[in-house]
Structure formats: C-alpha cells, structure tokens
C-alpha cells in the first residue's frame, strides 16, 4: 500500500512488488477478486442501495397521481391514446398509483390504478362540433370533481387551451394546497395562423384566461423550442418518445418497378398539411406524370380532405383504410415505400418535428417526407426528404427522385 506524498516511498513499493514471485502475485490477484466480489458484486451493491432508500420507496409507493387526459380508452389505434397509455405505464413503474380520465363508450370514464372503470358518465352529445364542446366541458368538470373528493399528491394535465372551464379544473385540482400540478403542453406554440372564426374565439378566450393559470401550476412540461417560462410558470422542454419494442423493424417486401406506395398515418389536423400533398399530386399528373403513386391513408381525416380529393379526381390514388394497428398496420408497413410526415407544422408556429408518426417511421425503418426539422436527424441523412415550410404543393418529382436514390 502506497499512502502518497513521498516519491521515494512509491519507488520502494514498486520495486518490492516487482521482486515478488509470479505465484505470489497471482495469489494476490485471486484474493483481490474474491474481496471485490464479496464487497462490491453488483447485486450486493443494489441490495445495499435499496436498503438505504427504503424509506423513500415506501413513501413513493403511497403516492397517487391523477392523469387528466382526453384520449380514447376504447380506441388504442390513435397515436395519442398509445402515448398516454405508455406515459401512465412508465409513471407506475416509479411506484406511483395512477388514476386517469378518458373518453369511453360515447361518454366520460374515470379509471383506477388497475385500469378499472370507477366512474362513468354518458354524454348527451358526443360527436360533431357541438358534441366536441360538450364532451370537453364534461370531462374537465367530472375530472375536477373526482380529484376534489379524492386525495392525490400529483395532477398531470394534458393541455387543450385555456378558458373558464379549464381554469376551474385547475382550481379544483389545487383545492388541496399540497397537490402538485404539472401541465403538459404537448404542442407549443399552439395557435395556428390560419383558422376559422371558431378558433379565433377560442384563442381570444385563451389570451384572457392564460394570465390566471400561473397561480395553480407548479411545472409546465412543453414539447417546444421555446426557452422562456410558458404562461409565467417554471418550464422544462420535453420530447415525444416511442417504445421501440412495440415498433419492431419491418420486414420489407420487394420493390416494384413502376409503383411507389406511400402511407400517411394521422388523426388529421390542419397542421398535418395533407392539402399540400394533394396539390402536389394534382400538379404532377396534370403535367403528364407517369409514375404510379398510391397513398394509403390510415386514421381519421377532415371533410376538407375528402372534398379536395374529389375536386382533383384523385380517388384512385388516395386510398382511405380507416384505423388499423398491430399486425394489420405491420403488414401495411412491410409494403410501404415512403411515409408522409408533418407537412405544415409552421401553421401552428412550430418548426421542429416532434410527431409520433415520424418517430414510428424511424422505429420501423420507413423513409419519409416532411417539412419540419427534427433533432433526431443528422446532416445529409439519406432516409428523410425535407420540403420547404410553405403552403405550396409538394413536388412529387422530388419524392420520386428521393425514392429512386434510396440506399439498398
């Protein structure tokens, strides 16, 4: 043992060690290994650590969280439903009980830590624009009331927009001052530049009520490029993630010589920019394009999209398949050549690609087109084709050239 501080002692120790017989040095090594294994073997260290933090673990096991969400518990094919269920699963792994809200069977459901339905309220009207307003009001009201009558340590809220109803939810959630509230701004900024009168009214209400929320929120978790405090609250930037275990690399079927198959997976909103793709198709075939390109549309799409397809006479090129997931979607992915990512995030003043569907394309190995930058991309990455952020039609010839140059 050299205690340090004296170079002569170090030299003496080294010389003494070098003069030892090989048998003795080998024995020292074996004894050292036994000692390390006895005191520092991985499981021994883990057990010692767990013993030290046992009090904390017991405390965490008693914690309860209410996850406010408006996902569809009866339709897990929707991206947001899969995301919320994954979030809940990961929080539970930390030893925290999670109760949550969801739309269920044309009504509002409250579910306990075992995913059992503990409260259910049928909505008077569930579909259509009026149904959307009513069910949102109901789920906020019912969730707030349930939180108020139950002891929760945390409330995690997926944000829509601020108005009197959502602020009332925060008040109910904070009725017990020790309750910590985290709000997930899953898309920020969220105000689109080109929407109708109804959205302008919603944004006007949001401008009024967002000034009140800082009193109730302990933390904002925002999918954003912003670095400022959102709504005047402490803010951390987060990213959408994906479970690669649930999205195994696809089995790729053989390429076709004169046909390209594309897939668009969406619960469509204006910022998806599907209209840009349709304009591009119209221009390509009007100018004499010969390549046969088909787009499989998986999910739910806006009425304007159907009208545009009829207007441009693209019924043979754009195929609606409805919702599909699991093995059915895996089969589609195996036959897909190119995925369609977000083409108009700039319409909601966002420029970074955080969409779940592009993460899924990455995970299963589908090249895709997009107009949004992504922190997941590297320079000159050959499997993503990026288009300018504007309202012009997508240049289909560029898509074809991208496909023809793909490695392999």
């Amino acid at each position: 043992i050299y205690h340090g501080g004296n170079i002569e002692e170090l030299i003496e120790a080294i010389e003494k060690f070098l003069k030892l017989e090989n048998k003795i040095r080998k024995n020292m090594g074996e004894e050292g290994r036994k000692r390390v294994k006895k005191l520092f073997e991985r499981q021994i260290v883990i057990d010692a650590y767990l013993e030290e933090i046992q009090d904390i673990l017991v405390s965490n096991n008693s914690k309860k969280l209410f996850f406010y969400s408006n996902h569809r518990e009866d339709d897990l094919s929707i991206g947001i439903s899969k995301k919320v269920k994954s979030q809940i699963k990961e929080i539970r792994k930390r030893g925290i009980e999670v109760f949550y809200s969801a739309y269920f069977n044309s009504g509002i459901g409250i579910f306990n830590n075992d995913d059992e339905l503990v409260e259910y309220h049928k909505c008077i009207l569930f579909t259509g624009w009026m149904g959307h307003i009513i069910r949102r009001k109901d789920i906020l009201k019912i969730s707030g009331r349930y939180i108020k009558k139950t002891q929760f340590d945390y409330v995690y809220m997926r944000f829509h927009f601020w108005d009197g109803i959502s602020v009332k939810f925060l008040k109910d959630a904070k009725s017990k001052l020790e309750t910590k509230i985290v709000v997930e701004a899953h898309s920020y900024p969220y105000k689109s530049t080109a929407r109708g009168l109804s959205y302008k009214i919603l944004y006007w209400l949001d401008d009024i009520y967002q000034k009140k929320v800082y009193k109730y929120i302990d933390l904002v978790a925002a999918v954003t490029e912003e670095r400022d405090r959102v709504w005047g609250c402490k803010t951390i930037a987060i990213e959408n993630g994906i479970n690669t275990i649930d999205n195994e690399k696809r089995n790729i079927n053989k390429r076709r010589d004169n046909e390209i198959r594309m897939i668009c997976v969406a619960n469509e909103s204006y910022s998806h920019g599907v209209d840009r793709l349709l304009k591009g198709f119209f221009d390509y075939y009007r100018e004499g394009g010969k390549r046969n390109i088909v787009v499989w549309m998986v999910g739910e799409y806006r009425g304007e999209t159907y009208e545009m397809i009829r207007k441009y006479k693209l019924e043979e090129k754009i195929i609606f398949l409805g919702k599909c997931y699991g093995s059915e979607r895996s089969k589609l992915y195996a036959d897909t050549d190119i995925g369609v990512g977000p083409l108009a995030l700039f319409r909601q003043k966002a420029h970074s690609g955080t969409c779940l569907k592009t993460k899924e394309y990455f995970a299963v190995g589908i090249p895709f087109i997009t107009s949004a930058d992504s922190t997941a991309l590297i320079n000159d990455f050959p499997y993503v084709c990026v288009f300018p952020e504007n309202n012009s039609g997508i240049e289909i010839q560029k898509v074809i050239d991208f496909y023809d140059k793909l490695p392999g």
Side-chain angles (χ1 to χ4, degrees):
I1 296 175
Y2 168 61
H3 296 286
N6 188 317
I7 190 66
E8 284 78 13
E9 286 185 18
L10 175 61
I11 294 172
E12 185 181 342
I14 293 174
E15 289 179 341
K16 184 177 180 180
F17 181 78
L18 292 175
K19 290 178 181 178
L20 293 174
E21 296 179 8
N22 286 339
K23 184 178 180 181
I24 295 175
R25 280 194 279 179
K26 182 179 179 181
N27 184 61
M28 288 175 65
E30 291 174 348
E31 291 299 318
R33 180 176 175 83
K34 289 178 184 178
R35 182 174 178 81
V36 169
K37 190 170 183 179
K38 179 179 179 181
L39 298 178
F40 303 111
E41 195 269 333
R42 182 177 61 178
Q43 194 57 49
I44 293 172
V45 174
I46 291 172
D47 291 343
Y49 171 72
L50 292 176
E51 184 177 347
E52 287 294 320
I53 65 169
Q54 186 61 33
D55 291 342
I56 300 173
L57 290 177
V58 171
S59 175
N60 277 345
N61 283 335
S62 66
K63 298 290 186 183
K64 290 174 67 175
L65 178 146
F66 188 91
F67 194 121
Y68 169 78
S69 172
N70 64 337
H71 72 280
R72 295 286 295 271
E73 184 68 11
D74 51 2
D75 187 357
L76 299 181
S77 67
I78 301 174
I80 183 56
S81 297
K82 292 192 290 185
K83 177 187 175 183
V84 169
K85 296 296 282 187
S86 293
Q87 286 178 294
I88 291 172
K89 180 180 178 181
E90 292 303 316
I91 295 171
R92 284 173 176 166
K93 283 182 181 179
R94 272 65 184 174
I96 299 174
E97 292 184 41
V98 181
F99 289 58
Y100 58 96
S101 61
Y103 293 132
F104 179 73
N105 194 23
S106 297
I108 311 299
I110 303 293
F111 297 83
N112 66 13
N113 193 54
D114 296 316
D115 299 317
E116 297 169 338
L117 185 66
V118 293
E119 276 198 25
Y120 175 75
H121 301 265
K122 186 78 172 179
C123 287
I124 299 173
L125 189 62
F126 193 79
T127 58
W129 68 271
M130 183 58 75
H132 184 82
I133 293 172
I134 292 173
R135 76 190 194 199
R136 176 183 176 274
K137 176 183 70 68
D138 287 349
I139 196 169
L140 282 164
K141 181 180 177 181
I142 292 164
S143 298
R145 190 171 61 207
Y146 188 84
I147 294 169
K148 199 171 182 179
K149 72 179 183 180
T150 311
Q151 181 66 47
F152 287 101
D153 301 282
Y154 309 104
V155 171
Y156 190 95
M157 178 189 188
R158 276 183 53 83
F159 166 74
H160 313 160
F161 60 87
W162 298 118
D163 60 1
I165 301 167
S166 53
V167 172
K168 175 64 165 59
F169 169 85
L170 289 180
K171 289 180 180 178
D172 289 341
K174 205 68 172 179
S175 60
K176 300 177 182 66
L177 294 178
E178 64 274 16
T179 301
K180 301 296 183 184
I181 298 179
V182 179
V183 175
E184 178 189 312
H186 44 83
S187 181
Y188 189 93
Y190 51 92
K191 294 179 181 178
S192 173
T193 56
R195 287 292 188 100
L197 178 61
S198 61
Y199 275 91
K200 289 180 180 178
I201 294 172
L202 293 180
Y203 295 158
W204 173 71
L205 287 171
D206 184 277
D207 287 339
I208 294 172
Y209 282 97
Q210 67 174 250
K211 298 179 178 67
K212 305 172 186 277
V213 302
Y214 73 92
K215 296 182 288 186
Y216 309 103
I217 299 173
D218 294 282
L219 179 70
V220 175
V223 180
T224 181
E225 300 168 3
E226 303 281 339
R227 290 297 176 262
D228 296 331
R229 291 165 67 90
V230 174
W231 307 310
C233 306
K234 180 181 177 182
T235 302
I236 59 170
I238 62 172
E239 252 285 3
N240 279 326
I242 187 168
N243 187 342
T244 54
I245 295 174
D246 293 339
N247 293 277
E248 296 180 358
K249 186 178 177 182
R250 66 194 177 123
N251 295 312
I252 305 173
N253 290 336
K254 188 177 179 181
R255 283 192 181 191
R256 293 152 294 275
D257 292 336
N258 195 42
E259 183 180 58
I260 300 175
R261 294 179 180 179
M262 303 177 70
I263 192 166
C264 182
V265 181
N267 187 20
E268 191 195 1
S269 68
Y270 185 57
S271 62
H272 283 125
V274 174
D275 57 294
R276 295 190 64 193
L277 184 66
L278 300 181
K279 287 177 187 175
F281 266 74
F282 175 72
D283 292 339
Y284 175 74
Y285 288 111
R286 181 182 59 178
E287 294 167 7
K290 300 297 184 183
R291 200 70 167 263
N292 182 31
I293 308 173
V294 176
V295 184
W296 292 325
M297 309 289 274
V298 176
E300 294 184 341
Y301 290 84
R302 302 184 308 148
E304 293 93 326
T305 297
Y306 288 93
E307 292 173 9
M308 202 169 185
I309 290 169
R310 287 192 290 269
K311 176 184 175 182
Y312 290 156
K313 296 181 171 55
L314 294 172
E315 290 90 346
E316 293 183 2
K317 302 295 182 183
I318 312 298
I319 313 299
F320 290 94
L321 301 178
K323 300 174 183 177
C324 66
Y325 54 99
S327 60
E328 187 179 1
R329 188 181 292 188
S330 296
K331 290 178 182 177
L332 289 176
Y333 281 164
D335 276 329
T336 295
D337 300 308
I338 299 175
V340 179
L343 298 173
L345 285 183
F346 63 90
R347 292 174 180 172
Q348 62 181 37
K349 301 179 182 177
H351 303 277
S352 177
T354 60
C355 295
L356 287 170
K357 62 180 172 181
T358 54
K359 300 284 197 308
E360 191 168 306
Y361 294 154
F362 267 124
V364 300
I366 297 177
F368 63 88
I369 63 172
T370 181
S371 72
D373 294 330
S374 175
T375 53
L377 302 183
I378 58 176
N379 292 333
D380 301 321
F381 190 67
Y383 299 98
V384 178
C385 181
V386 181
F387 286 87
E389 292 188 307
N390 57 46
N391 288 311
S392 64
I394 295 300
E395 187 182 343
I396 299 302
Q397 187 58 52
K398 182 178 177 180
V399 177
I400 294 171
D401 293 342
F402 163 66
Y403 172 72
D404 289 340
K405 293 176 183 177
L406 284 172

